[in-house]
């Protein structure tokens, strides 16, 4: 008996297209996104029945609401990461620079876009489509020598299984990764060389509890909320400078820059406060200090708790 073919991850792809109307899948505009992995899926609980029928056998369960969500791990790259930033913050302000360079500035705005995601298993002609998808959380970790990636948590409305892709000719983008070894960091406006790692977590405050009657268990809409920006800076414990800022509640800032030739990604946290977190003696080796922080918008001219400046050869997003 012949063994049926099964889908292969290496032959699969994730395609994203921004929606003009929330939850309405477009027929063009798809972009094949470089990814490490994706756990985007739809799940539905089966609820036990409490019906008593004169027998110890259980009655049939009832189906609950459908949760379309998951975590995607993309690389932090020169072109593709701009699409993730657009999903997070909306269309950037783009300006042309010298030669073929274009600078794209992404900030927190009043709203955020939605997109359709398609996980395509082309070797078995099956396409898993999610509409009304918004970014729920983004996590970035800098430092070390591992591949530079992001963790993107998304939340969607509806899942549809199809035999053909929604866009038959999606855009294929060139993949050029940023690397940890090309990073520099400023603390309080001063370039420092004693930072071991920096983690950044952005929570977009989505409200997914929007299951309206008549929508067959799927979400009807996903509302946005207040954005939360936090993280942790890990550095050599060489003096009291960082700890004093935490003790005194002194406002500071962080700016991390990644470069790849003429391309760059700058992440700015113009206003933040460190959480008091004194170091300890963990052993005979060098002592480090870990400083959790929360970023916010108070009076900085950028009017955003976090902003990303991406410079590459792409004219617009």
């Amino acid at each position: 008996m012949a063994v049926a073919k099964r889908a292969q991850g290496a032959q699969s792809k994730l395609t994203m297209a921004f929606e003009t109307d929330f939850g309405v899948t477009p027929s063009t505009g798809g972009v094949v996104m470089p990814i490490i992995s994706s756990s985007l899926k739809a799940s539905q609980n089966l609820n036990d029945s409490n019906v008593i029928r004169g027998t110890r056998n259980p009655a049939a369960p009832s189906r609950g609401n459908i949760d379309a969500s998951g975590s995607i791990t993309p690389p932090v790259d020169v072109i593709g990461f701009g699409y993730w930033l657009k999903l997070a913050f909306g269309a950037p302000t783009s300006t042309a620079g010298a030669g073929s360079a274009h600078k794209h500035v992404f900030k927190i705005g009043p709203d955020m876009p939605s997109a359709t995601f398609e996980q395509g298993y082309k070797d078995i002609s099956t396409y898993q489509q999610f509409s009304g998808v918004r970014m729920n959380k983004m996590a970035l970790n800098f430092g070390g020598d591992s591949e530079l990636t992001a963790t993107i948590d998304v939340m969607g409305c509806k899942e549809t299984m199809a035999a053909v892709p929604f866009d038959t000719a999606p855009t294929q983008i060139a993949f050029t990764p940023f690397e940890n070894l090309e990073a520099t960091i400023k603390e309080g406006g001063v370039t420092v060389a004693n930072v071991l790692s920096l983690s950044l977590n952005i929570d977009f405050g989505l409200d997914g509890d929007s299951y309206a009657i008549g929508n067959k268990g799927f979400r009807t809409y996903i509302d946005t909320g207040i954005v939360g920006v936090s993280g942790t800076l890990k550095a050599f414990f060489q003096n009291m400078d960082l700890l004093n800022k935490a003790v005194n509640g002194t406002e500071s800032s962080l700016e991390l820059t990644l470069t790849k030739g003429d391309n760059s990604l700058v992440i700015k946290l113009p206003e933040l406060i460190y959480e008091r977190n004194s170091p300890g003696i963990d052993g005979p080796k060098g002592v480090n200090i870990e400083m959790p922080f929360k970023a916010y918008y108070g009076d900085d001219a950028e009017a955003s708790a976090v902003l990303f400046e991406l410079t590459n050869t792409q004219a617009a997003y």
Side-chain angles (χ1 to χ4, degrees), residues 231-279:
T232 299
L233 181 74
K234 183 178 181 180
F236 299 140
F237 187 43
Q238 297 175 307
N239 52 54
M240 287 290 292
D241 292 350
L242 279 175
L243 190 55
N244 279 337
K245 287 185 178 183
V247 170
N248 299 319
T250 304
E251 181 179 278
S252 193
S253 63
L254 287 171
E255 179 178 317
L256 182 135
T257 301
L258 299 166
T259 56
K260 175 67 73 171
D262 294 330
N263 308 292
S264 65
L265 176 64
V266 182
I267 304 173
K268 296 182 178 181
L269 304 169
E271 299 171 289
L272 62 83
I273 292 179
Y274 292 108
E275 179 180 317
R276 187 167 182 161
N277 189 40
S278 303

Side-chain angles (χ1 to χ4, degrees), residues 215-231:
N215 206 35
K216 300 186 182 301
F218 290 107
R219 290 187 179 94
T220 304
Y221 194 72
I222 298 175
D223 290 297
T224 59
I226 294 176
V227 180
V229 184
S230 61

Side-chain angles (χ1 to χ4, degrees), residues 1-5:
M1 183 175 67
V3 178
K5 182 188 293 187

Side-chain angles (χ1 to χ4, degrees), residues 47-62:
N47 301 312
D48 291 335
S49 173
N50 294 314
V51 174
I52 298 173
R53 302 180 297 157
T55 173
R56 293 182 63 233
N57 291 295
S62 61

Side-chain angles (χ1 to χ4, degrees), residues 68-97:
S69 63
S71 182
I72 302 167
T73 303
V76 179
D77 67 319
V78 169
I79 301 293
F81 196 63
Y83 290 99
W84 295 111
L85 292 176
K86 181 178 178 179
L87 184 66
F89 300 102
T93 300
S94 299
T95 54

